Amino acid sequence: LDIYFSLILAAVFIEQCLGVVYTEGGMVEGENVRISYGNYMDIFRGVPFADIPGRFEKPTRHPGWDGILKAKEFAPRCLQVDFLMINTMGNEDCLYLNIWVPHGRSVSTGLPVMVWIFGGGFMGGGSMGANFFDNYLYSGEEIAERGDVIVVTVGYRVGTLGFLSTGDSSIPGNYGLWDQQAAIAWVHRNIRSFGGDPDNITIFGDKPDRETIKKTVVEIGTDYIFLAPTQAALYLHAANVKKIQVNSFGGLFNLSHRDLSGYMIAYWTNFAKTGDPNKGGLKVPATWPQFTGDGHKYLEIHNNMNANFVRQQLRLRYVNFWSNVFPSLPTVYSE
């Protein structure tokens, strides 16, 4: 009986593990961890999505590798100045991504995919964020587990190496944005092997600005649905994207509240599954209104939020100045 029971457990364990995954660059093997009773997760750390980038050059496809790549350690962040701006940290060999794949009673297939793009004003940051007592700020484990989605975090060049430009064709700049596009394209080409749906990819991140959204999403030429933090981004989408459904949010985040993080996971992962942050399997505390040109509604996110947290015209006066007035001001040159 004990032997029979052990064989059953072994069969269940094998059934909930991807094992070695075949990608366009070669075979990769991650780490399989138990996250709760009957549920496991495959975590792939440091998977290359492009070759080692040439300095001030666009990313190119990785040439591949022999054997099985052990994707169990995070790659270094891209070379950048430290927080005090007196030293450097990171590495120029930094175009890697990390993948979290949750499993229930069987190996997952066809899961929605969420690609995280870290913030930092294009000056710094990394796909894993800060590390507090071996807990990474941008770990995708909890979102993947609670939302039943695949989470991918990507690295891209920042600072001088990512965005220096001479203003002409010799060094046009925006290499960090090209890195983001290369990462998203890699995910689209390979994520099916990890149990993901290549036709259902949601891009989200920390403080995504106009240029990140414009270069990595709008100019790809694909129809997208957006969750956006400010009206400025909403108007940008409305002017460029062929089909648009947008929801806006604002408010103060206090990460000490697990209720709050739960609300955001619910909205984000519902959105990734259905295109509607209110529907997708996880309960939400308030209906997130769709943005329209005449309503300008947004949802204020708070740890004790309810249906009354729907607002209108988020900082509209400031948005109008920075979106319309400031860009139209003349440029004055002094000798």
Side-chain angles (χ1 to χ4, degrees), residues 50 57 134 170 333:
E57 295 178 2
D134 292 328
S170 59
Y333 297 95

Side-chain angles (χ1 to χ4, degrees), residues 287-298:
T287 299
W288 193 325
Q290 183 172 334
F291 176 82
T292 59
D294 55 351
H296 306 288
K297 291 183 179 180
Y298 70 95

Side-chain angles (χ1 to χ4, degrees), residues 48 65 75 111 149 172 180 188-189 232 238 247 253 279 290 319:
W65 54 87
L111 289 181
V149 298
Q180 294 175 14
H188 180 74
R189 294 192 304 268
N247 305 73
F253 289 85
K279 301 176 182 178
Q290 183 172 334
V319 169

Side-chain angles (χ1 to χ4, degrees), residues 9 13 16 31-43 103 105 141 145:
L9 288 179
F13 177 79
Q16 295 170 295
E31 177 185 8
N32 184 268
V33 298
R34 179 181 176 182
I35 52 178
S36 61
Y37 178 75
N39 295 286
Y40 290 81
M41 182 174 296
D42 280 308
I43 305 174
H103 304 294
R105 297 297 179 183
E141 181 173 325
E145 176 190 2

Side-chain angles (χ1 to χ4, degrees), residues 7-250:
L7 289 174
I8 292 176
L9 288 179
V12 170
F13 177 79
I14 293 172
E15 194 177 357
Q16 295 170 295
C17 178
L18 287 173
V20 175
V21 176
Y22 290 83
T23 73
E24 63 186 26
M27 297 180 289
V28 296
E29 182 181 20
E31 177 185 8
N32 184 268
V33 298
R34 179 181 176 182
I35 52 178
S36 61
Y37 178 75
N39 295 286
Y40 290 81
M41 182 174 296
D42 280 308
I43 305 174
F44 299 83
R45 305 176 179 93
V47 179
F49 65 83
D51 199 1
I52 301 174
R55 191 167 293 179
F56 307 123
E57 295 178 2
K58 293 180 181 179
T60 59
R61 288 201 184 189
H62 198 281
W65 54 87
D66 296 325
I68 300 175
L69 176 66
K70 301 294 185 179
K72 300 183 180 183
E73 299 290 337
F74 293 119
R77 62 177 60 197
C78 289
L79 186 64
Q80 58 195 263
V81 295
D82 62 13
F83 300 113
L84 299 178
M85 295 192 174
I86 58 176
N87 208 337
T88 60
M89 58 181 175
N91 197 302
E92 290 191 64
D93 179 10
C94 61
L95 300 186
Y96 298 84
L97 50 77
N98 313 296
I99 307 171
W100 286 263
V101 184
H103 304 294
R105 297 297 179 183
S106 60
V107 172
S108 296
T109 58
L111 289 181
V113 183
M114 302 186 68
V115 178
W116 172 268
I117 298 177
F118 66 85
F122 296 147
M123 293 300 297
S127 61
M128 291 312 302
N131 184 356
F132 301 101
F133 303 104
D134 292 328
N135 291 306
Y136 283 92
L137 182 62
Y138 297 152
S139 171
E141 181 173 325
E142 188 160 355
I143 296 179
E145 176 190 2
R146 296 174 67 173
D148 195 28
V149 298
I150 291 177
V151 176
V152 182
T153 64
V154 305
Y156 62 91
R157 285 170 285 180
V158 295
T160 301
L161 295 177
F163 294 92
L164 176 68
S165 175
T166 58
D168 54 33
S169 59
S170 59
I171 303 181
N174 285 340
Y175 304 105
L177 298 181
W178 287 106
D179 295 342
Q180 294 175 14
Q181 282 198 15
I184 296 167
W186 187 97
V187 171
H188 180 74
R189 294 192 304 268
N190 292 274
I191 202 63
R192 190 185 302 276
S193 298
F194 294 87
D197 181 357
D199 296 320
N200 185 0
I201 298 175
T202 299
I203 302 170
F204 72 127
D206 176 24
K207 298 175 290 187
D209 62 273
R210 291 168 60 104
E211 283 306 308
T212 294
I213 294 170
K214 184 171 184 292
K215 291 292 184 182
T216 60
V217 177
V218 174
E219 291 188 0
I220 292 176
T222 306
D223 296 332
Y224 280 81
I225 303 174
F226 294 95
L227 291 179
T230 65
Q231 260 76 358
L234 302 180
Y235 297 135
L236 173 66
H237 304 327
N240 288 277
V241 182
K242 291 173 288 184
K243 298 177 183 177
I244 182 167
Q245 174 184 322
V246 184
N247 305 73
S248 178
F249 69 89

